[in-house]
Amino acid sequence: MAPLNQGKRCKGIQIFRPFVYGTTAKLFDPTTNPKPEGTPDDHTHSWTVFVKGVDDTDITYWCRKVQFKLHESIPNPLRMIENTTPGTPFQVHETGWGEFEITIKLYYVPESYEKPQTFYHHLRLHPYGVTEAEKEAMRISPQIISWVYEEQLFNEPFESFYELLTSPVDRSKGTTGGKGKGTRLMKGGMVSSTGERTALVPLASRPGQPFSRETEKAEIKRLREAQGKVEEMVKLAQKDLQDKEKELAALKAS
Amino acid sequence: MTSHDVRDMLDLPQEGAARPIKKQKVAAPRPVLKGLAREVQNLSGDNPIAIVPEGSIFKKRRFASRKPAAKWELRPFRNSARSDDSLILRHWRRLDEKRKLPPQPAGENRDSATQTMEGVVGGEEQMEDSGFAKFNVQVELFDYSPEEYESRLRSEDWTKDETDYLMKMVSQFDLRWPIIWDRYEYEPPIPEQAPSEADGNARAIIVAPKTRSMEDLKARYYAVTATMMVIRKPPIKMNSAEFSLHEVMLNFNPEQEKARKIFAENSFLRTKEEAREEESLLLELKRINARSERFSDERRELYARLDAPSSSSHTNNFTSSVGLGQLLQQLMSMDKSKKQRKSIMGGEGISPAGPSGPTQQNPDHRRESSARESISGPSAPNNKKGPPNPAERRQLSKEEEEMYGVSRHERIGTSGPAFRQEKIFKPLLAKSMNQQKIINNVLTELEIPPRLIMPTADVGESYDGLLTSINNLLDCRKVADKLTAEINIARAQKAERERLARESENAGEGGDVGAGAETVVGTGGKGNSGAPGSVNGTTTTTTTGPGPTNSEPRNEEKAGSPTASVKGVAHKRSASVMSAVSDKSAKRQKK
């Protein structure tokens, strides 16, 4: 099945690209979010499921198309999204009343010679969260967002794909392969780093762009703190252990 | 339809070579034609008839653009660049039609030939300044005070007086060095002005005229000006133009200038024969260089042939038709490149590789192709793959690697796309469901959500760290649980022993207490009932008996797998204890 002339895999090399996927749901409301024509009466929310680059960067140079598999009750549940302009998300807009698991399948550019990969995302329409406060905050907010940061790893990519991933955008070439339309790339200067093929994540979070170095650092900090706690617990447990051993020894000796 | 088509249909012979020339003639007037003229032209076909008179257009245009003749006026003007203010000249200017006021200055058209001398012109207050006045540019010279001269500008060779004279000359002749040099006639001040130098001898020395070359003058002037520039404005504050000027003046090298001029003069005075000889020598040099280059090329080729590893091991690449086809293509492409290089070399005119020398070139060609074969042998498998091989892969710098998210690993499990989150959770998911549940409980206790917010490489590492410490904790807890169980058992044993001791005492007093329930111990008690002194002995044996059997499983447990369930161990132990006891009692029964 493997096509001819695809070269070799780069041994020991791993390349990653960050991206974001998730859903954004909004309750129908006569004033702010009116029901569009032809929406069934029992539908309560409008929602969007998307796959996009972090900070709206271009991902089309490695991700050719995305298939969203919606619930069977929705007409035409298999939605294939392709040919999006670089810097805009692969997305599906729908209306509905219930939450379900969406199957998302990423198709890679032909240069990669990689098979499509699947992951799942739970559509959230109602406030969720561990604590009541979190739920309350979500209830107040105009929309229910469930966004997930993910990193696409390419383990040992083929050489042609390696070249593609590690070279800057050739702006002179315009439309070649899945790299999108040249004009849009030129305009990309406006949308911060659109058109740059980096794996870098923005330094600071902005409204609507929650994933950044800051968030990462906060997460690492949280994990470290948790680890610290666990370590303390381990110490306590060890002390307890020693006490118990002594007790046992004492019991044995008597 | 053209005459050409007609000819074609009638099978008339085509016109010979004369035609293209005619066509070219036609091409020129054609674009000019318009309207009816063009139609007529088209009718005539390939052999145009000269109906349209050429040049008629020019006549027409002349009548079309008739305008009233422009009015001119003789106007006085002054030249501000001149020192004599009284001089007023007149020139013809076009009369400004928009503004009827005559004394206003007009456009740029001027006729300097009509300048005439004229006295004072009355009635015109504002006189036009000459357009050429702006070209009267004065050289900007740096003035230096005597103190500055003393401190910075002193020279062995130059007196202050002569420097002053040089500066004067420079400003007078606007830095035109040949003129300055030509007019430079410095005479040292007459000794009467300096009373100390009244001596005739000294005077003779001073008077002796120093002949200054142009380079001397320039060097002095540049030195002075550069120094003054620095004094007036420190180099840091200079703009780029000033600074570059300063640099140029500072780096003036009179010796080099002299050499350059001598060289230029010599080459100017060279005879035709000398020039020709030089040219031929240069050509000869070029030829020698080319020859040596070719020689070294050939030698390199020879070395390559000698060094080439034996191609026998690679022949199996060419046994299949595909391999042979590729080899052929490769050879063709190499041949092409070789040929191109040849033609370039031939173009230089070293070896006239014309069409006359195929026989002469043949051995050369054969040798090359044979060399090529041996060279291409080992390289063939490399090129077969098409895209660059790993050695040729672009090397990325550290920053680039970070930018493009490239990392290197000793061992990557599977090649192909994957997701970080999954990868991070892999070690967790590899555990049993039970373990997962326990670990997840700990995580929720720590308020870590089951999904990572940002599964990056760094986050993954710290998550790994967290997991290992959680595992440590769980191990500790497990061991602790085991110990508690052991302690409980030990306690139970102790209680049991105490009870046993108590019961045996009771049995010693009388067997009526432990009759039905305690059959094992009871029988033992009955067997020894005769001697109360030996009761103590049996109790000691029972306590020491289980001792070693008890400690043995504990060691085993410490060394062994912790996965074994605590209860099981406890059961085992209790069973062994019981069996040990029952063994003893059985022995006793045999007795």
Side-chain angles (χ1 to χ4, degrees):
Chain A
M1 178 59 205
L4 283 172
N5 201 19
Q6 64 183 24
K8 287 179 296 203
R9 286 187 180 275
C10 303
K11 286 283 168 216
I13 298 280
Q14 183 185 64
I15 299 182
F16 78 89
R17 284 290 180 275
F19 67 96
V20 180
Y21 64 88
T23 51
T24 310
K26 224 171 177 183
L27 195 68
F28 278 130
D29 186 281
T31 52
T32 54
N33 188 21
K35 253 187 201 188
E37 280 298 305
T39 312
D41 285 340
D42 53 350
H43 283 197
T44 52
H45 289 77
S46 70
W47 52 265
T48 305
V49 57
F50 66 87
V51 173
K52 64 171 190 173
V54 173
D55 200 17
D56 288 323
T57 46
D58 178 23
I59 60 168
T60 54
Y61 65 93
W62 59 265
C63 179
R64 185 163 56 98
K65 54 184 181 177
V66 178
Q67 187 196 61
F68 296 98
K69 192 177 175 195
L70 311 178
H71 196 260
E72 279 87 353
S73 63
I74 297 167
N76 192 14
L78 272 183
R79 307 288 176 90
M80 183 68 88
I81 308 297
E82 50 189 322
N83 294 328
T84 58
T85 44
T88 54
F90 295 89
Q91 57 188 359
V92 168
H93 301 285
E94 263 303 332
T95 60
W97 52 267
E99 299 185 348
F100 60 91
E101 193 100 310
I102 300 170
T103 309
I104 302 171
K105 203 170 185 182
L106 294 187
Y107 290 79
Y108 305 105
V109 289
E111 290 92 325
S112 67
Y113 300 114
E114 302 288 9
K115 286 191 201 115
Q117 294 288 307
T118 308
F119 54 91
Y120 305 91
H121 183 73
H122 192 80
L123 167 64
R124 295 282 190 179
L125 300 182
H126 307 292
Y128 62 96
V130 184
T131 59
E132 279 304 311
E134 276 178 43
K135 275 189 191 175
E136 192 55 39
M138 216 168 264
R139 197 168 290 123
I140 293 162
S141 74
Q143 50 195 10
I144 305 297
I145 59 173
S146 165
W147 296 351
V148 179
Y149 172 95
E150 183 60 288
E151 283 185 6
Q152 174 70 57
L153 303 176
F154 292 106
N155 292 321
E156 308 190 332
F158 284 102
E159 276 159 359
S160 53
F161 194 40
Y162 174 88
E163 280 296 315
L164 178 77
L165 286 174
T166 57
S167 31
V169 188
D170 192 354
R171 281 167 203 277
S172 63
K173 235 197 262 171
T175 54
T176 36
K179 281 166 231 157
K181 319 291 168 273
T183 48
R184 170 72 194 184
L185 285 184
M186 296 310 285
K187 273 200 287 177
M190 300 196 305
V191 195
S192 67
S193 52
T194 301
E196 290 303 326
R197 292 173 174 175
T198 67
L200 296 180
V201 169
L203 285 177
S205 301
R206 284 183 284 122
Q209 304 289 354
F211 303 109
S212 66
R213 284 263 163 273
E214 270 179 7
T215 322
E216 190 194 353
K217 281 202 184 114
E219 173 132 52
I220 290 176
K221 199 176 153 219
R222 205 179 49 173
L223 288 174
R224 290 268 155 78
E225 276 169 4
Q227 197 181 345
K229 268 188 216 164
V230 172
E231 241 110 268
E232 266 173 38
M233 283 156 84
V234 168
K235 263 180 205 162
L236 276 178
Q238 275 170 346
K239 214 177 152 198
D240 187 36
L241 208 66
Q242 281 169 355
D243 289 348
K244 278 184 179 165
E245 264 175 356
K246 268 180 208 160
E247 195 184 338
L248 188 64
L251 274 174
K252 289 273 165 67
S254 65
Chain B
M1 185 185 284
T2 61
S3 65
H4 173 84
D5 295 326
V6 176
R7 244 179 251 280
D8 208 32
M9 271 186 273
L10 297 177
D11 269 352
L12 283 173
Q14 297 288 335
E15 271 177 311
R19 185 177 301 192
I21 302 160
K22 261 186 193 168
K23 263 190 183 168
Q24 276 173 356
K25 273 183 189 168
V26 172
R30 208 164 246 177
V32 183
L33 301 176
K34 292 262 162 60
L36 188 66
R38 185 173 55 83
E39 297 295 321
V40 173
Q41 181 87 28
N42 278 354
L43 276 176
S44 67
D46 288 343
N47 303 322
I49 324 153
I51 315 168
V52 195
E54 287 181 21
S56 63
I57 297 151
F58 300 118
K59 261 182 190 169
K60 262 187 194 164
R61 189 151 292 168
R62 195 175 141 198
F63 290 109
S65 65
R66 175 174 268 176
K67 274 184 197 165
K71 291 200 171 88
W72 291 77
E73 178 203 27
L74 201 61
R75 202 180 289 168
F77 72 95
R78 222 189 281 272
N79 193 340
S80 62
R82 292 188 70 104
S83 51
D84 42 355
D85 262 357
S86 58
L87 178 74
I88 291 174
L89 302 169
R90 305 177 105 196
H91 57 190
W92 284 102
R93 305 311 297 265
R94 201 169 181 155
L95 205 62
D96 200 341
E97 285 174 13
K98 280 164 196 156
R99 284 180 294 163
K100 290 294 173 193
L101 294 166
Q104 291 304 318
E108 287 303 305
N109 312 1
R110 70 170 49 85
D111 196 355
S112 56
T114 58
Q115 285 185 2
T116 47
M117 279 277 245
E118 173 86 350
V120 182
V121 176
E124 295 201 14
E125 268 111 67
Q126 222 177 4
M127 197 115 26
E128 186 189 359
D129 193 16
S130 167
F132 296 102
K134 64 180 176 201
F135 295 113
N136 185 25
V137 182
Q138 296 293 326
V139 181
E140 189 199 344
L141 282 179
F142 290 98
D143 278 337
Y144 46 85
S145 62
E147 294 83 51
E148 277 171 343
Y149 185 87
E150 284 301 311
S151 61
R152 305 289 296 269
L153 302 172
R154 280 177 81 95
S155 164
E156 296 279 297
D157 204 19
W158 291 75
T159 61
K160 178 163 190 301
D161 198 46
E162 195 175 358
T163 310
D164 291 344
Y165 177 74
L166 173 69
M167 286 299 174
K168 207 183 81 195
M169 295 291 279
V170 164
S171 69
Q172 187 179 348
F173 297 113
D174 289 344
L175 279 173
R176 290 178 182 87
W177 287 105
I179 303 172
I180 296 168
W181 175 72
D182 189 44
R183 297 292 163 88
Y184 196 82
E185 281 174 349
Y186 175 67
E187 282 181 4
I190 307 150
E192 274 84 357
Q193 286 176 342
S196 62
E197 291 177 321
D199 191 29
N201 229 353
R203 186 185 164 186
I205 292 166
I206 292 162
V207 167
K210 255 179 198 161
T211 46
R212 303 272 190 200
S213 69
M214 201 197 290
E215 281 69 41
D216 293 337
L217 299 177
K218 275 187 185 175
R220 178 62 181 161
Y221 171 73
Y222 290 150
V224 169
T225 315
T227 318
M228 290 316 294
M229 269 178 94
V230 175
I231 289 171
R232 295 278 178 271
K233 206 176 196 180
I236 308 155
K237 286 183 184 169
M238 286 182 195
N239 60 29
S240 62
E242 280 173 343
F243 188 74
S244 61
L245 180 67
H246 175 247
E247 283 290 289
V248 166
M249 291 204 292
L250 210 61
N251 295 330
F252 180 72
N253 184 359
E255 296 307 316
Q256 195 188 339
E257 279 295 287
K258 244 171 245 177
R260 185 180 66 82
K261 278 187 182 165
I262 290 165
F263 179 77
E265 201 173 347
N266 280 345
S267 62
F268 180 70
L269 294 174
R270 212 169 36 167
T271 63
K272 210 168 188 177
E273 284 72 34
E274 281 172 335
R276 204 169 291 152
E277 196 185 336
E278 190 185 315
E279 211 165 276
S280 70
L281 277 175
L282 277 174
L283 210 72
E284 189 68 26
L285 177 70
K286 215 174 178 181
R287 200 173 295 159
I288 290 168
N289 276 343
R291 202 176 293 149
S292 72
E293 202 171 290
R294 197 174 50 156
F295 182 67
S296 66
D297 265 1
E298 270 172 19
R299 187 158 32 178
R300 206 175 308 135
E301 200 176 288
L302 186 67
Y303 278 144
R305 188 140 53 123
L306 290 174
D307 285 347
S310 61
S311 56
S312 59
S313 59
H314 295 280
T315 44
N316 51 358
N317 280 326
F318 310 119
T319 48
S320 68
S321 61
V322 181
L324 275 176
Q326 270 166 349
L327 178 65
L328 182 69
Q329 273 191 346
Q330 203 184 334
L331 287 181
M332 296 254 274
S333 64
M334 280 188 87
D335 218 17
K336 260 183 215 159
S337 63
K338 262 265 154 63
K339 262 180 195 158
Q340 275 171 359
R341 220 184 305 152
K342 257 243 137 68
S343 69
I344 292 162
M345 275 164 85
E348 275 178 63
I350 302 148
S351 60
S356 64
T359 46
Q360 179 227 329
Q361 240 182 331
N362 231 7
D364 190 24
H365 202 77
R366 208 191 312 133
R367 195 196 59 210
E368 264 176 23
S369 66
S370 64
R372 223 177 294 134
E373 235 165 45
S374 61
I375 292 162
S376 66
S379 67
N382 264 353
N383 291 357
K384 241 183 229 172
K385 291 278 177 182
N389 48 352
E392 291 166 24
R393 203 188 299 144
R394 225 149 33 82
Q395 288 301 310
L396 297 171
S397 67
K398 260 260 178 298
E399 292 79 35
E400 275 180 313
E401 282 201 351
E402 197 186 329
M403 182 169 153
Y404 295 123
V406 179
S407 55
R408 280 156 213 285
H409 303 269
E410 283 296 301
R411 201 170 54 86
I412 292 179
T414 49
S415 41
F419 297 109
R420 181 87 74 189
Q421 184 100 12
E422 280 174 21
K423 205 175 148 84
I424 292 173
F425 283 125
K426 221 176 210 172
L428 180 59
L429 293 178
K431 292 190 191 307
S432 69
M433 285 302 268
N434 236 344
Q435 285 268 322
Q436 278 185 43
K437 211 182 259 172
I438 296 166
I439 291 173
N440 281 335
N441 281 344
V442 176
L443 284 176
T444 38
E445 210 176 293
L446 291 165
E447 291 175 359
I448 299 280
R451 265 202 93 95
L452 291 172
I453 297 169
M454 280 194 67
T456 60
D458 295 343
V459 170
E461 259 171 46
S462 31
Y463 191 78
D464 254 10
L466 179 63
L467 272 192
T468 40
S469 43
I470 287 178
N471 275 335
N472 277 344
L473 176 69
L474 292 182
D475 281 351
C476 277
R477 279 186 184 173
K478 210 186 283 169
V479 177
D481 282 349
K482 239 177 268 168
L483 276 178
T484 17
E486 261 178 60
I487 287 169
N488 285 342
I489 290 161
R491 275 193 189 138
Q493 276 179 346
K494 204 179 173 188
E496 180 87 1
R497 254 181 287 143
E498 276 166 5
R499 206 167 50 126
L500 271 180
R502 234 184 299 128
E503 264 172 26
S504 57
E505 270 172 33
N506 286 348
E509 282 168 15
D512 50 316
V513 182
E518 305 288 326
T519 47
V520 179
V521 185
T523 48
K526 273 176 189 167
N528 293 328
S529 59
S534 67
V535 172
N536 275 335
T538 52
T539 46
T540 46
T541 50
T542 44
T543 44
T544 48
T549 47
N550 231 359
S551 62
E552 207 175 48
R554 192 165 48 128
N555 290 342
E556 190 183 279
E557 201 185 315
K558 270 183 185 167
S561 66
T563 46
S565 79
V566 183
K567 275 194 175 173
V569 175
H571 276 304
K572 225 190 272 169
R573 178 155 331 109
S574 61
S576 69
V577 168
M578 289 306 280
S579 67
V581 171
S582 60
D583 273 359
K584 283 268 151 74
S585 58
K587 273 178 195 165
R588 255 178 248 142
Q589 273 184 328
K590 276 175 191 166
K591 276 180 191 172

